[in-house]
């Protein structure tokens, strides 16, 4: 009876050893008495894929550009003469009338010798506006399109400014100024997003130890 038991036990042990040796290349199988078993399956190595290009999608962007526009504006022009004590005096009108034609090219105001012309452009008579000071001996000149600037006075007889002041008085002028200005505007455009480059790692799938 003991001989049979030993033979059976040895046969089982030898069979287990052969099974373990034959399967060692891919997996390990161990069978033990008492109903237990151990399986070991080799897990594949992780795989890395590099250089993947991911294309970006379409997106809306705001693109800046430079634009220009022409502005026409009716303004009121007032002028005075400032002496060395910083006291203002009426400026002499060179031409009569309140309205200035767009095509007029010439002097609008002059000052007595020794004083400086100062003129103000505003939206209404008596309102605050943009003031410019000329040098002594300058007159206020008007050009086509409502251009205003200080220019040396034209030669005139003595007491010319006093005569003009008596003749036309110290009135205001109304004119149309035309300005060209540039500004930044934006437009919306559809552009393709930038492509990105990356990598992906695969962990090798199913594998491991099973009990």
């Amino acid at each position: 009876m003991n001989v049979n038991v030993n033979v059976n036990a040895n046969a089982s042990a030898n069979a287990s050893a052969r099974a373990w040796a034959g399967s060692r290349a891919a997996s390990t199988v161990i069978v033990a008495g008492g109903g237990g078993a151990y399986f070991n399956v080799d897990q594949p190595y992780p795989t890395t894929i590099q250089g993947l290009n991911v294309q970006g999608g379409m997106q809306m962007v705001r693109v800046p550009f430079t634009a220009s526009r022409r502005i026409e504006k009716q303004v009121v022009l007032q002028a005075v003469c400032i002496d060395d004590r910083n006291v203002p005096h009426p400026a002499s009108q060179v031409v009569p009338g309140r309205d200035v034609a767009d095509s007029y090219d010439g002097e609008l105001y002059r000052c007595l010798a020794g004083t400086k012309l100062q003129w103000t452009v505003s939206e209404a008579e008596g309102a605050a506006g943009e003031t410019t000071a000329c040098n002594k001996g300058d007159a206020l000149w008007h050009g086509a399109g409502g251009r205003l600037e200080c220019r040396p006075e034209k030669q005139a007889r003595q007491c010319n400014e006093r005569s003009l002041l008596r003749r036309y008085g110290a009135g205001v002028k109304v004119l149309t100024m035309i300005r060209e200005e540039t500004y930044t505007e934006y437009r919306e455009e559809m552009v393709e997003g930038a492509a990105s480059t990356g990598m992906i790692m695969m962990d090798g799938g199913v594998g491991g130890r099973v009990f």
Side-chain angles (χ1 to χ4, degrees):
M1 185 65 178
N2 292 333
V3 174
N4 292 333
V5 172
N6 291 333
V7 171
N8 291 334
N10 291 334
S12 298
N14 292 334
S16 298
R18 286 194 300 272
W20 177 80
S23 61
R24 187 176 181 181
S27 62
T28 301
V29 180
I30 298 176
V31 180
Y38 172 79
F39 298 89
N40 180 40
V41 180
D42 290 341
Q43 184 171 351
Y45 291 103
T47 302
T48 301
I49 302 176
Q50 298 185 358
L52 290 176
N53 292 324
V54 180
Q55 195 68 30
M58 300 299 292
Q59 57 185 353
M60 181 77 72
V61 297
R62 298 185 70 210
V63 180
F65 66 94
T66 301
S68 61
R69 57 191 171 198
R70 178 175 176 174
I71 299 177
E72 295 187 10
K73 188 176 184 179
Q74 190 174 68
V75 297
V76 175
L77 175 64
Q78 305 170 78
V80 294
C81 300
I82 307 297
D83 63 20
D84 293 337
R85 295 174 298 173
N86 206 33
V87 176
H89 302 275
S92 303
Q93 298 185 78
V94 178
V95 292
R98 180 183 177 92
D99 297 327
V100 180
D102 293 343
S103 59
Y104 176 72
D105 188 354
E107 293 180 350
L108 287 178
Y109 291 99
R110 294 170 64 102
C111 284
L112 293 171
T115 61
K116 295 187 297 185
L117 184 68
Q118 179 177 291
W119 48 280
T120 301
V121 173
S122 59
E123 295 184 357
E125 186 174 350
E130 182 180 345
T131 300
T132 303
C134 301
N135 296 321
K136 288 183 178 180
D138 283 350
L140 177 57
W141 176 85
H142 176 277
R147 289 184 297 132
L148 297 172
E149 61 182 73
C150 300
R151 285 190 180 184
E153 295 176 345
K154 292 181 178 180
Q155 293 295 326
R157 61 181 178 82
Q158 290 185 352
C159 299
N160 179 60
E161 287 74 22
R162 295 184 186 276
S163 298
L164 291 173
L165 194 57
R166 287 194 298 267
R167 184 184 306 173
Y168 303 132
V172 299
K173 300 290 187 184
V174 177
L175 54 97
T176 300
M177 300 187 72
I178 301 174
R179 294 182 180 178
E180 291 281 344
E181 68 176 19
T182 59
Y183 62 99
T184 300
E185 188 61 90
Y186 293 87
R187 61 172 174 264
E188 293 184 343
E189 293 183 0
M190 293 294 295
V191 298
E192 187 173 358
S196 60
T197 302
M199 58 175 284
I200 185 172
M201 178 176 288
M202 304 178 68
D203 63 4
V206 179
R209 293 178 174 82
V210 180
F211 292 91

